[in-house]
Amino acid sequence: MVISGKKSLSAVTLIFKLPYYTQWGQSLLISGSEPVLGNWNVKKGLALSPIHQGDELVWCGKIAVANGFKCEYSYYLVDDNRNILRWEVGKKRKFELPEGVEVGELVEIHDLWKTASEDLFLRSAFRTVIFGAGKDLEPGVSSFVSQKNTDQQGSVLVQFTINCPILEDGTSVYVTGSTSELGQWRNQDGLKLFHVGDSIWKAECVIRKTEFPIKYKYCKNDKVRGFSLEVGPMRELAIDFTSQSPPNHLILSDGSFRELPWRGSGVAIPMFSVRSEDDLGVGEFLDLKLLVDLAVKSGFHLVQLLPVNDTSVHGMWWDSYPYSSLSVFALHPLYLRVQALSTNLPEEIKKEILSEKDRLDRKDVDYEATMAAKLSIAKKIFNQEKDKILDSSSFLQFFSENELWLKPYAAFCFLRDFFETSDHTQWGRFSVFSKEKLEKLVSKDSLHYGNICFHYYIQYHLHLQLSEAATYARKNRVVLKGDLPIGVDRNSVDTWVYPNLFRMNTSTGAPPDYFDKNGQNWGFPTYNWEEMSKDNYAWWRARLTQMSKYFSAYRIDHILGFFRIWELPDHALTGLVGKFRPSIPLSQDELEMEGLWDFNRLSRPYLRQEILQEKFGSLWTVIASTFLNEYQKLCYEFREDCNTEKKIVEKLKTSPEKPLWTEKEEKIRKDLFDLLQNIILIRDPEDARKFYPRFNLEDTSSFKDLDEHSKNVLKRLYYDYYFCRQENLWRQNALKTLPVLLNSSDMLACGEDLGLIPACVHPVMQELGLIGLRIQRMPSEPDLEFGIPSQYSYMTVCAPSCHDCSTMRAWWEEDEERRWRYYKNVIGSDEVPPSHCDPDIAHFILQQHFEAPSMWAIFPLQDLLALKGEYTTHPAAEETINDPTNPKHYWRYRVHVTVESLLSDEDLMMAIKDLVTSSGRSFPMIEGVSTSDNSKLTSKFPLNGTEVKENTTVA
């Protein structure tokens, strides 16, 4: 029972204290699981009051409780109306009144605000992989003091609590300090703490009041390094014994063990790009075991992949695009190892596998041929042993755990093949999904049941093979990092089953940026976030839960999409004429107040005869008569049958005038698109009184022909729309959705935050503990041409390149003038730079990133291979994974050498390992023996751009 109101004689008084600096109009409160703490209703939580203690502002609150009281609680920063401004990250705090507390006594709870960066090390990547090797540390046996000594009035029972997520096997935790109970700074005589679960260590001791104030620190004792004190200043604890009611018990929640920032490294390579001695035409899930070996031998803690979900939408090489999922749950059959499907393969199938291996072992991936070969062989093996597999307890368990997505997926694949299209609007009575139709289609009595079961069978074995690789990675303390695509294909299982979750008349993309000056159109439908919120984003939570079965970290593709997405009409092909969703549009009333009235002039393509003559020359009259109407003298508009980008493409193909422009069709298409995009305002298709400024509107001839007043007004409104008025809306939007993702699993989350970055993005990412991405050639600072890795903040992943841009070698060769500037300004040499990225250049660039303060340095495998000349004899352009400017790019790059060959290349392995050790980054620690350690970290490695010195507190 909790006592509120007047203090009861049978009550125990709890006083909460938390140091926290607030701004005017802000305050702190506690919300928790008991009525006295508001029953998790923040509006009814315990309000705290500020007091000054030395240089600190400490927030305090008091409640009276009965013996046996326990609760969960968290701290919240609120405004004057108790609206939440910020909250603690991580699990809820747990409190249980210590044994031996007597009625009428006072218990003080000293807390520290829990930050997102602390919570990162409780994620599975660290807790169960890097520092756990797949196992959780078992709670120890506590030796808490149940009663104080006989000097009741002259002592205080102090409970020390510390969070130690970065802890290797066989390590003990102590608290040492200025009192005899804490060893008087002799580490070995300090108070030993006990693990109580969730990386929390505790111990109690009785300290006489004459010993206060006390100073103390926590320390670790491991088998290799012995005792090591936490960094930063000494912790201090003072009690005012002159007050009327000094505490009898102190519970110190001291946050995290303070140490120099942990830094790791990894390798990135798409699954399809891996080459091994056993694969069949493409990298396979079981090849991940070799990549784990490569990581361990190189000194890496992480292997990063691109998405591995099924993308079999078109039945052709277009499906090589890994970000256009057929299903967000199903794995891609491309990565199946067919020879591992059975231990009893007939000789003719073994021969067929060997024959296909020889045929498909090419420079690049042959997507269609590889898919066809694997599915053909798998079908033969399935027919041989389907009864044995489908009746096995292992399969039945897999089916039971996954049937919610597995049944619709298998049915979709069957219908796709039956109707020869993934466009489910063409499936007749099956075009609208229903559970009743699904159950009939997948029932054992169905004529198609064998075909349905084949898809179950493939997914089951993909699950087994990826699970085997994931288990191997965890045992070797290597993190597998997956990729969460921002979209799904509009012809996918997900849009078929959950059409209400998508805005099917729209398309997603990105505004003009580093990757494409014309913007990008990815073709995915945008999300109906309002509908998704009704079940607390269950679809997203299920995605992350499924992903966490295999991965302990993930990259959120285009994290900006969780703040706002670039939305395009479904009839668009390019990405330029879009708008942000959500966003606050320009209203017609607002524009009229600014003196803008001619909305047709501003929102319709601005087509004048001189523009047509300039673009099309002698062909202008043919173009005009085919595509345009002259609605008044010298003024034109697009005809109804070609007033969208998709219609223009179709018209170019079918027009009787086609022979006149056959050789110039691509240029004419581009010029017609330019005319269609020659607008200033985009009218909202759902509300004609709302408008959105076209991106880069000042570049249009429509804008250039306006009067000066209109130009000035529109420039001001443009800046406001893109850089000011949306910030709070986008922040609120992200804080609704991103926490749901982060709390759906215990994977470590990284966000791809490249492109046009709103001001609200990085503060929200920091608040939520999301790790950003830094690519040197794409600095987030507008005044820099090249990023400065030594100045990156700790909460980042740094890399010299990524899959969406050219590799380090290709980038070096692309632009001679830029190469000169880099050589002079970054490398610091006035000599003539080499025309190719030789091993010395590669070593310099890689070393910059290894030595960066970033938590992770993750390198594309191609960039690491540049360390050795023999791996750079082929053209650098062949290493390209993706060309973002080409929506129909063929994703087919394969590493030129097998992983087995790389593992046997001692020179390369040593070169990479030397970079790891010299930079002080952590090494994988196998079977309790560390090949390196963080003792090499010194004050030269900055955190958030500031030097870490011995007296600096580091979270």
Side-chain angles (χ1 to χ4, degrees), residues 31 389 420 510 698 791:
S31 183
I389 295 297
E420 298 182 336
E698 291 184 58
Q791 295 181 6

Side-chain angles (χ1 to χ4, degrees), residues 674-741:
D674 286 344
L675 292 180
L676 196 63
Q677 296 162 355
N678 192 21
I679 60 176
I680 296 170
L681 298 178
I682 300 167
R683 193 186 291 265
D684 192 314
E686 298 169 11
D687 188 339
R689 295 183 62 83
K690 293 179 179 178
F691 298 88
Y692 306 88
R694 201 213 87 160
F695 201 90
N696 288 344
L697 56 79
E698 291 184 58
D699 294 344
T700 65
S701 58
S702 179
F703 179 86
K704 292 170 184 174
D705 283 356
L706 288 173
D707 61 273
E708 288 304 311
H709 169 75
S710 298
K711 286 181 181 179
N712 290 333
V713 168
L714 287 164
K715 282 194 285 188
R716 176 164 45 80
L717 292 175
Y718 175 91
Y719 185 87
D720 179 62
Y721 175 84
Y722 281 100
F723 302 105
C724 298
R725 72 197 294 168
Q726 319 295 348
E727 292 295 330
N728 190 50
L729 172 66
W730 291 343
R731 170 184 157 79
Q732 291 174 352
N733 200 50
L735 289 175
K736 288 178 186 174
T737 55
L738 285 172
V740 177
L741 263 71

Side-chain angles (χ1 to χ4, degrees), residues 122-137:
L122 299 176
R123 297 280 173 170
S124 59
F126 293 104
R127 179 173 52 81
T128 64
V129 180
I130 295 175
F131 297 109
K135 298 178 183 178
D136 283 328
L137 189 62

Side-chain angles (χ1 to χ4, degrees), residues 605 607 612 616 619-631 635-662 664-673 675-676:
L607 308 179
L612 301 179
F616 301 107
L619 270 179
W620 87 265
T621 54
V622 175
I623 297 297
S625 63
T626 305
F627 296 91
L628 309 172
N629 291 322
E630 187 176 14
Y631 64 91
C635 298
Y636 293 81
E637 64 183 2
F638 277 95
R639 292 184 174 183
E640 181 68 26
D641 64 347
C642 51
N643 62 356
T644 71
E645 291 176 354
K646 284 186 177 178
K647 289 180 181 178
I648 287 174
V649 169
E650 188 61 28
K651 184 87 169 181
L652 282 168
K653 291 179 181 176
T654 59
S655 172
E657 310 295 337
K658 181 178 172 65
L660 295 175
W661 58 64
T662 299
K664 301 179 179 178
E665 183 171 329
E666 186 175 343
K667 182 181 185 305
I668 289 175
R669 176 186 59 78
K670 182 182 180 304
D671 288 341
L672 286 169
F673 281 10
L675 292 180
L676 196 63

